[in-house]
Amino acid sequence: MKHLKFLAVVMLGGLILAGCKKKNNEEENEEELITTVNVKLTAAGGATQTFTWKDVDGPGGNAPQINTISISPNTTYACAIEFLDESKTPAENITTEVNAEGADHQVYYEVTTAALTINGLNTDAGGLPLGITSNWVAGTNSGGSVKITLKHKPGVKALGDLISKGETDVEVTFPVVIQ
């Protein structure tokens, strides 16, 4: 009789562990496919300009279509980034998920050679940089590029994180002309 009780306890424990393992796998982050990145820039009193990076067939297919970001010198722009999966119909707005999981995401901006400063990144609920919105301050006439990288950092995001920390959800580079 003791052996039957012991066997029943072992089998029940195994079922509980199997159930927990399945739940943990379901809780893991499903990697998003980001096919489109829209950079929406609005100068004070001006209309919103949208610049797009688009790679609908994903990595390894056709080359992405990329707009050149052309902005005016000595002007400050409010920037909003939009991430989409346009491989689905209707397109899925990944930005909504990034905002909802702000504590696990961060957008990085790397400017090369252009007289452009990016600051004022919005923050997540914990006060850490998120970067879905920001301020872009264009300086003098110049050219270069801006690399935009969305990092996924579940449980490891901290103030001053290096771009190397976490997994890259998408990394795109836009040419920039200030004139």
Side-chain angles (χ1 to χ4, degrees), residues 47-149:
T48 298
Q49 299 173 273
T50 301
F51 305 95
T52 301
W53 177 95
K54 185 180 287 198
D55 190 7
V56 176
D57 63 356
N62 295 320
Q65 299 171 352
I66 307 168
N67 294 146
T68 295
I69 296 175
S70 182
I71 53 180
S72 299
N74 305 312
T75 305
T76 298
Y77 295 86
C79 175
I81 300 291
E82 182 178 55
F83 301 104
L84 303 174
D85 178 359
E86 294 188 314
S87 69
K88 298 176 181 174
T89 303
E92 181 180 4
N93 188 338
I94 305 296
T95 316
T96 305
E97 181 180 328
V98 172
N99 270 320
E101 299 174 357
D104 295 335
H105 290 91
Q106 185 171 348
V107 180
Y108 288 87
Y109 300 90
E110 297 175 87
V111 178
T112 303
T113 69
L116 177 65
T117 302
I118 299 174
N119 58 33
L121 277 58
N122 71 319
T123 57
D124 63 23
L128 297 174
L130 178 55
I132 296 296
T133 62
S134 58
N135 296 318
W136 290 31
V137 182
T140 58
N141 290 350
S142 57
S145 63
V146 61
K147 184 184 335 181
I148 299 171
T149 306

Side-chain angles (χ1 to χ4, degrees), residues 28-51:
E28 287 181 12
N29 185 51
E30 187 175 313
E31 188 170 325
E32 304 92 3
L33 175 61
I34 297 174
T35 63
T36 305
V37 178
N38 288 323
V39 176
K40 298 179 177 185
L41 297 174
T42 308
T48 298
Q49 299 173 273
T50 301
F51 305 95

Side-chain angles (χ1 to χ4, degrees), residues 18-30:
C20 290
K21 184 175 182 179
K22 182 178 180 183
K23 184 176 180 181
N24 286 340
N25 287 341
E26 290 172 356
E27 291 175 355
E28 287 181 12
N29 185 51
E30 187 175 313

